[in-house]
């Protein structure tokens, strides 16, 4: 195929950020400090390991390697309890509309996420079958803004990077897409995602004429 689409997961397909927040907050509270919604913004698109490092900096806690690993597992076990209750009602508005548009045109679709839980989440919300390739936290060594995750996705789709379109909600993700020489589309606040080539608050603002233009290019 000549063109391919890559979707980030958290903040683009589903709002799992609220569950990440609850799990990190539970851990912070257990360790004796608060973790706010504002602080949670720093965690978007960031790997689990880096999130825990930032959390411990916020709490002023020095952890042994053993404690660090234990808390990583503890947070994820807690997070998975929220994930387990997810269903298709949690898919963000009009995401299926865009996926269906692409499928109808036989355009390959990949996931490019930092999450190690991407596959079970896509299964839970019943979207896994749309994806021709899944590249997630289990497949990459370098986190966004490094372009690795999107370059592997392009490779798996058999599409050249400059022919890939990326939907992202995180600044680091937009930077990763731009560095990969892909067409970056910011989903969220255009002031925050100002480096994106195009910006939309959500998929309800993306119509078929815009998609047709992207695909025709
Ligand atoms: P996990 P994305 C990211 O997802 C989240 O935005 C970020 O908050 C999270 O820490 C990261 O996944 C790792 O997730 O703990 O499930 O491996 O936006 O890259 O889809
Ligand atoms: Mg995201």
């Amino acid at each position: 195929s000549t063109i391919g689409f890559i979707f980030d997961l958290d903040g683009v397909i589903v709002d799992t950020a609220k569950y990440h927040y609850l799990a990190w907050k539970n851990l912070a509270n257990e360790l004796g400090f608060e973790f706010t919604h504002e602080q949670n913004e720093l965690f978007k698109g960031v790997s689990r390991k880096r999130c825990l490092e930032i959390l411990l900096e916020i709490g002023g806690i020095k952890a042994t390697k053993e404690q660090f690993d234990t808390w990583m597992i503890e947070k994820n076990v807690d997070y998975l309890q929220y994930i387990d209750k997810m269903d298709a009602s949690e898919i963000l508005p009009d995401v299926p509309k865009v996926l269906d548009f692409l499928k109808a045109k036989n355009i390959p679709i990949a996931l490019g996420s930092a999450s190690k839980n991407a596959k079970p989440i896509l299964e839970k919300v019943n979207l896994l079958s749309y994806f021709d390739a899944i590249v997630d936290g289990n497949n990459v060594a370098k986190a966004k803004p490094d372009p690795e995750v999107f370059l592997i996705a392009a490779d798996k789709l058999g599409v050249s990077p400059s022919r890939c379109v990326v939907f992202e909600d995180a600044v680091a993700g937009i930077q990763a897409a731009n560095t990969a020489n892909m067409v970056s589309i910011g989903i969220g606040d255009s002031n925050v995602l100002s480096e994106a080539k195009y910006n939309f608050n959500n998929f309800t603002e993306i119509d078929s004429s815009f998609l047709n233009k992207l695909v025709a290019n």
Side-chain angles (χ1 to χ4, degrees):
S1 179
T2 56
I3 190 158
F5 277 66
I6 305 173
F7 289 72
D8 175 50
L9 180 64
D10 175 36
V12 168
I13 294 176
V14 285
D15 176 24
T16 34
K18 63 186 177 204
Y19 302 132
H20 282 296
Y21 171 70
L22 291 172
W24 286 125
K25 183 178 157 58
N26 287 342
L27 179 61
N29 291 168
E30 182 195 309
L31 298 177
F33 62 96
E34 258 320 311
F35 178 60
T36 66
H37 276 287
E38 292 71 53
Q39 289 165 333
N40 191 55
E41 287 303 306
L42 302 170
F43 284 33
K44 294 190 174 173
V46 173
S47 74
R48 193 184 311 165
K49 180 165 175 284
R50 185 65 198 129
C51 287
L52 181 55
E53 286 167 2
I54 301 171
L55 191 82
L56 295 177
E57 278 166 34
I58 291 169
I61 289 176
K62 271 217 161 357
T64 64
K65 168 93 178 71
E66 210 177 20
Q67 282 175 319
F68 193 95
D69 293 345
T70 305
W71 292 335
M72 285 263 283
I73 293 168
E74 201 179 307
K75 183 269 173 179
N76 196 52
V77 168
D78 194 17
Y79 176 68
L80 288 177
Q81 292 183 7
Y82 297 107
I83 296 313
D84 198 49
K85 298 188 188 83
M86 287 183 85
D87 61 31
S89 69
E90 297 206 36
I91 299 168
L92 290 171
D94 277 358
V95 169
K97 175 191 79 179
V98 176
L99 291 171
D100 284 329
F101 173 95
L102 299 172
K103 267 283 164 268
K105 293 195 170 342
N106 270 316
I107 295 168
I109 305 169
L111 190 85
S113 165
S115 175
K116 294 188 172 174
N117 298 304
K119 240 191 201 151
I121 293 169
L122 287 178
E123 256 163 21
K124 274 279 169 197
V125 300
N126 227 339
L127 290 180
L128 189 60
S129 62
Y130 280 97
F131 292 85
D132 302 292
I134 307 268
V135 186
D136 62 22
N138 300 299
N139 312 109
V140 296
K142 290 173 249 157
K144 302 166 191 175
D146 191 283
E148 184 181 25
V149 59
F150 295 143
L151 290 173
I152 295 175
D155 188 58
K156 283 199 180 186
L157 294 182
V159 175
S160 90
S162 66
R163 300 292 297 143
C164 286
V165 177
V166 177
F167 292 110
E168 253 293 348
D169 73 309
V171 175
I174 294 295
Q175 290 167 340
N178 290 343
T179 303
N181 197 23
M182 298 178 177
V183 177
S184 57
I185 303 184
I187 301 294
D189 190 338
S190 60
N191 296 309
V192 177
L193 304 173
S194 58
E195 292 170 58
K197 170 122 193 237
Y198 301 101
N199 258 110
F200 299 96
N201 286 307
N202 54 59
F203 284 96
T204 67
E205 295 180 355
I206 299 183
D207 58 16
S208 52
S209 87
F210 173 76
L211 290 172
N212 275 318
K213 241 183 280 163
L214 271 183
V215 170
N217 275 335

PDB file of all heavy atoms in Angstrom, residues 74-90:
ATOM      1  N   GLU A  74       3.010  -3.296  41.268  1.00  0.00           N
ATOM      2  CA  GLU A  74       1.828  -2.937  42.048  1.00  0.00           C
ATOM      3  C   GLU A  74       0.930  -1.966  41.276  1.00  0.00           C
ATOM      4  O   GLU A  74      -0.294  -2.152  41.207  1.00  0.00           O
ATOM      5  CB  GLU A  74       2.291  -2.283  43.352  1.00  0.00           C
ATOM      6  CG  GLU A  74       1.262  -2.323  44.454  1.00  0.00           C
ATOM      7  CD  GLU A  74       1.793  -1.669  45.720  1.00  0.00           C
ATOM      8  OE1 GLU A  74       2.897  -2.059  46.175  1.00  0.00           O
ATOM      9  OE2 GLU A  74       1.111  -0.770  46.239  1.00  0.00           O
ATOM     10  N   LYS A  75       1.534  -0.945  40.698  1.00  0.00           N
ATOM     11  CA  LYS A  75       0.751   0.026  39.916  1.00  0.00           C
ATOM     12  C   LYS A  75       0.052  -0.672  38.758  1.00  0.00           C
ATOM     13  O   LYS A  75      -1.128  -0.419  38.484  1.00  0.00           O
ATOM     14  CB  LYS A  75       1.661   1.152  39.401  1.00  0.00           C
ATOM     15  CG  LYS A  75       0.922   2.246  38.649  1.00  0.00           C
ATOM     16  CD  LYS A  75       0.858   1.977  37.156  1.00  0.00           C
ATOM     17  CE  LYS A  75      -0.025   2.971  36.414  1.00  0.00           C
ATOM     18  NZ  LYS A  75      -0.045   2.712  34.964  1.00  0.00           N
ATOM     19  N   ASN A  76       0.775  -1.554  38.081  1.00  0.00           N
ATOM     20  CA  ASN A  76       0.170  -2.186  36.902  1.00  0.00           C
ATOM     21  C   ASN A  76      -0.959  -3.146  37.275  1.00  0.00           C
ATOM     22  O   ASN A  76      -1.983  -3.194  36.595  1.00  0.00           O
ATOM     23  CB  ASN A  76       1.229  -2.912  36.074  1.00  0.00           C
ATOM     24  CG  ASN A  76       0.717  -3.238  34.694  1.00  0.00           C
ATOM     25  OD1 ASN A  76       0.214  -2.361  33.980  1.00  0.00           O
ATOM     26  ND2 ASN A  76       0.786  -4.505  34.314  1.00  0.00           N
ATOM     27  N   VAL A  77      -0.788  -3.873  38.361  1.00  0.00           N
ATOM     28  CA  VAL A  77      -1.845  -4.784  38.812  1.00  0.00           C
ATOM     29  C   VAL A  77      -3.106  -3.980  39.124  1.00  0.00           C
ATOM     30  O   VAL A  77      -4.217  -4.345  38.742  1.00  0.00           O
ATOM     31  CB  VAL A  77      -1.376  -5.596  40.044  1.00  0.00           C
ATOM     32  CG1 VAL A  77      -2.538  -6.322  40.703  1.00  0.00           C
ATOM     33  CG2 VAL A  77      -0.281  -6.591  39.634  1.00  0.00           C
ATOM     34  N   ASP A  78      -2.910  -2.846  39.792  1.00  0.00           N
ATOM     35  CA  ASP A  78      -4.023  -1.964  40.123  1.00  0.00           C
ATOM     36  C   ASP A  78      -4.680  -1.434  38.837  1.00  0.00           C
ATOM     37  O   ASP A  78      -5.898  -1.486  38.666  1.00  0.00           O
ATOM     38  CB  ASP A  78      -3.477  -0.810  40.981  1.00  0.00           C
ATOM     39  CG  ASP A  78      -4.583  -0.021  41.662  1.00  0.00           C
ATOM     40  OD1 ASP A  78      -5.713  -0.540  41.749  1.00  0.00           O
ATOM     41  OD2 ASP A  78      -4.309   1.114  42.093  1.00  0.00           O
ATOM     42  N   TYR A  79      -3.846  -0.948  37.908  1.00  0.00           N
ATOM     43  CA  TYR A  79      -4.329  -0.408  36.624  1.00  0.00           C
ATOM     44  C   TYR A  79      -5.152  -1.460  35.868  1.00  0.00           C
ATOM     45  O   TYR A  79      -6.212  -1.156  35.319  1.00  0.00           O
ATOM     46  CB  TYR A  79      -3.115   0.041  35.808  1.00  0.00           C
ATOM     47  CG  TYR A  79      -3.424   0.529  34.412  1.00  0.00           C
ATOM     48  CD1 TYR A  79      -4.125   1.718  34.201  1.00  0.00           C
ATOM     49  CD2 TYR A  79      -2.986  -0.187  33.289  1.00  0.00           C
ATOM     50  CE1 TYR A  79      -4.397   2.167  32.918  1.00  0.00           C
ATOM     51  CE2 TYR A  79      -3.246   0.264  32.008  1.00  0.00           C
ATOM     52  CZ  TYR A  79      -3.950   1.444  31.822  1.00  0.00           C
ATOM     53  OH  TYR A  79      -4.213   1.884  30.546  1.00  0.00           O
ATOM     54  N   LEU A  80      -4.674  -2.695  35.860  1.00  0.00           N
ATOM     55  CA  LEU A  80      -5.349  -3.767  35.111  1.00  0.00           C
ATOM     56  C   LEU A  80      -6.741  -4.072  35.662  1.00  0.00           C
ATOM     57  O   LEU A  80      -7.609  -4.549  34.922  1.00  0.00           O
ATOM     58  CB  LEU A  80      -4.487  -5.033  35.097  1.00  0.00           C
ATOM     59  CG  LEU A  80      -3.235  -4.950  34.211  1.00  0.00           C
ATOM     60  CD1 LEU A  80      -2.399  -6.234  34.327  1.00  0.00           C
ATOM     61  CD2 LEU A  80      -3.597  -4.691  32.749  1.00  0.00           C
ATOM     62  N   GLN A  81      -6.970  -3.771  36.932  1.00  0.00           N
ATOM     63  CA  GLN A  81      -8.318  -3.956  37.478  1.00  0.00           C
ATOM     64  C   GLN A  81      -9.310  -2.994  36.833  1.00  0.00           C
ATOM     65  O   GLN A  81     -10.469  -3.343  36.614  1.00  0.00           O
ATOM     66  CB  GLN A  81      -8.322  -3.724  38.993  1.00  0.00           C
ATOM     67  CG  GLN A  81      -7.549  -4.785  39.754  1.00  0.00           C
ATOM     68  CD  GLN A  81      -7.614  -4.578  41.255  1.00  0.00           C
ATOM     69  OE1 GLN A  81      -8.343  -3.716  41.750  1.00  0.00           O
ATOM     70  NE2 GLN A  81      -6.860  -5.374  41.990  1.00  0.00           N
ATOM     71  N   TYR A  82      -8.833  -1.775  36.515  1.00  0.00           N
ATOM     72  CA  TYR A  82      -9.711  -0.816  35.830  1.00  0.00           C
ATOM     73  C   TYR A  82      -9.914  -1.242  34.374  1.00  0.00           C
ATOM     74  O   TYR A  82     -11.028  -1.174  33.843  1.00  0.00           O
ATOM     75  CB  TYR A  82      -9.114   0.600  35.868  1.00  0.00           C
ATOM     76  CG  TYR A  82      -8.961   1.172  37.261  1.00  0.00           C
ATOM     77  CD1 TYR A  82      -7.708   1.305  37.858  1.00  0.00           C
ATOM     78  CD2 TYR A  82     -10.086   1.579  37.979  1.00  0.00           C
ATOM     79  CE1 TYR A  82      -7.567   1.835  39.135  1.00  0.00           C
ATOM     80  CE2 TYR A  82      -9.957   2.110  39.259  1.00  0.00           C
ATOM     81  CZ  TYR A  82      -8.694   2.231  39.830  1.00  0.00           C
ATOM     82  OH  TYR A  82      -8.556   2.753  41.090  1.00  0.00           O
ATOM     83  N   ILE A  83      -8.825  -1.677  33.755  1.00  0.00           N
ATOM     84  CA  ILE A  83      -8.875  -2.099  32.347  1.00  0.00           C
ATOM     85  C   ILE A  83      -9.844  -3.258  32.157  1.00  0.00           C
ATOM     86  O   ILE A  83     -10.563  -3.341  31.163  1.00  0.00           O
ATOM     87  CB  ILE A  83      -7.457  -2.505  31.867  1.00  0.00           C
ATOM     88  CG1 ILE A  83      -6.511  -1.314  31.904  1.00  0.00           C
ATOM     89  CG2 ILE A  83      -7.487  -3.123  30.473  1.00  0.00           C
ATOM     90  CD1 ILE A  83      -7.061  -0.060  31.285  1.00  0.00           C
ATOM     91  N   ASP A  84      -9.846  -4.131  33.127  1.00  0.00           N
ATOM     92  CA  ASP A  84     -10.681  -5.330  33.056  1.00  0.00           C
ATOM     93  C   ASP A  84     -12.168  -4.991  32.914  1.00  0.00           C
ATOM     94  O   ASP A  84     -12.939  -5.767  32.370  1.00  0.00           O
ATOM     95  CB  ASP A  84     -10.430  -6.175  34.311  1.00  0.00           C
ATOM     96  CG  ASP A  84     -10.891  -7.601  34.112  1.00  0.00           C
ATOM     97  OD1 ASP A  84     -10.518  -8.190  33.073  1.00  0.00           O
ATOM     98  OD2 ASP A  84     -11.656  -8.110  34.958  1.00  0.00           O
ATOM     99  N   LYS A  85     -12.555  -3.814  33.410  1.00  0.00           N
ATOM    100  CA  LYS A  85     -13.972  -3.419  33.370  1.00  0.00           C
ATOM    101  C   LYS A  85     -14.326  -2.634  32.101  1.00  0.00           C
ATOM    102  O   LYS A  85     -15.472  -2.240  31.911  1.00  0.00           O
ATOM    103  CB  LYS A  85     -14.311  -2.568  34.604  1.00  0.00           C
ATOM    104  CG  LYS A  85     -14.120  -3.305  35.925  1.00  0.00           C
ATOM    105  CD  LYS A  85     -14.647  -2.487  37.086  1.00  0.00           C
ATOM    106  CE  LYS A  85     -14.283  -3.120  38.425  1.00  0.00           C
ATOM    107  NZ  LYS A  85     -12.895  -2.764  38.862  1.00  0.00           N
ATOM    108  N   MET A  86     -13.340  -2.401  31.237  1.00  0.00           N
ATOM    109  CA  MET A  86     -13.603  -1.597  30.025  1.00  0.00           C
ATOM    110  C   MET A  86     -14.435  -2.355  29.001  1.00  0.00           C
ATOM    111  O   MET A  86     -14.350  -3.573  28.907  1.00  0.00           O
ATOM    112  CB  MET A  86     -12.286  -1.180  29.358  1.00  0.00           C
ATOM    113  CG  MET A  86     -11.519  -0.120  30.095  1.00  0.00           C
ATOM    114  SD  MET A  86     -10.029   0.352  29.193  1.00  0.00           S
ATOM    115  CE  MET A  86     -10.706   1.570  28.066  1.00  0.00           C
ATOM    116  N   ASP A  87     -15.215  -1.602  28.220  1.00  0.00           N
ATOM    117  CA  ASP A  87     -15.897  -2.186  27.070  1.00  0.00           C
ATOM    118  C   ASP A  87     -15.970  -1.141  25.950  1.00  0.00           C
ATOM    119  O   ASP A  87     -15.421  -0.047  26.088  1.00  0.00           O
ATOM    120  CB  ASP A  87     -17.290  -2.710  27.441  1.00  0.00           C
ATOM    121  CG  ASP A  87     -18.197  -1.616  27.965  1.00  0.00           C
ATOM    122  OD1 ASP A  87     -18.049  -0.441  27.538  1.00  0.00           O
ATOM    123  OD2 ASP A  87     -19.054  -1.911  28.814  1.00  0.00           O
ATOM    124  N   ALA A  88     -16.661  -1.481  24.871  1.00  0.00           N
ATOM    125  CA  ALA A  88     -16.678  -0.620  23.679  1.00  0.00           C
ATOM    126  C   ALA A  88     -17.254   0.771  23.947  1.00  0.00           C
ATOM    127  O   ALA A  88     -16.993   1.704  23.173  1.00  0.00           O
ATOM    128  CB  ALA A  88     -17.440  -1.306  22.556  1.00  0.00           C
ATOM    129  N   SER A  89     -18.013   0.926  25.028  1.00  0.00           N
ATOM    130  CA  SER A  89     -18.585   2.244  25.326  1.00  0.00           C
ATOM    131  C   SER A  89     -17.489   3.264  25.659  1.00  0.00           C
ATOM    132  O   SER A  89     -17.750   4.466  25.691  1.00  0.00           O
ATOM    133  CB  SER A  89     -19.569   2.141  26.494  1.00  0.00           C
ATOM    134  OG  SER A  89     -18.887   1.856  27.698  1.00  0.00           O
ATOM    135  N   GLU A  90     -16.271   2.791  25.925  1.00  0.00           N
ATOM    136  CA  GLU A  90     -15.186   3.707  26.275  1.00  0.00           C
ATOM    137  C   GLU A  90     -14.346   4.166  25.087  1.00  0.00           C
ATOM    138  O   GLU A  90     -13.390   4.924  25.248  1.00  0.00           O
ATOM    139  CB  GLU A  90     -14.291   3.072  27.346  1.00  0.00           C
ATOM    140  CG  GLU A  90     -15.083   2.830  28.617  1.00  0.00           C
ATOM    141  CD  GLU A  90     -14.236   2.803  29.853  1.00  0.00           C
ATOM    142  OE1 GLU A  90     -13.251   3.561  29.934  1.00  0.00           O
ATOM    143  OE2 GLU A  90     -14.560   1.993  30.747  1.00  0.00           O
TER     144      GLU A  90
END
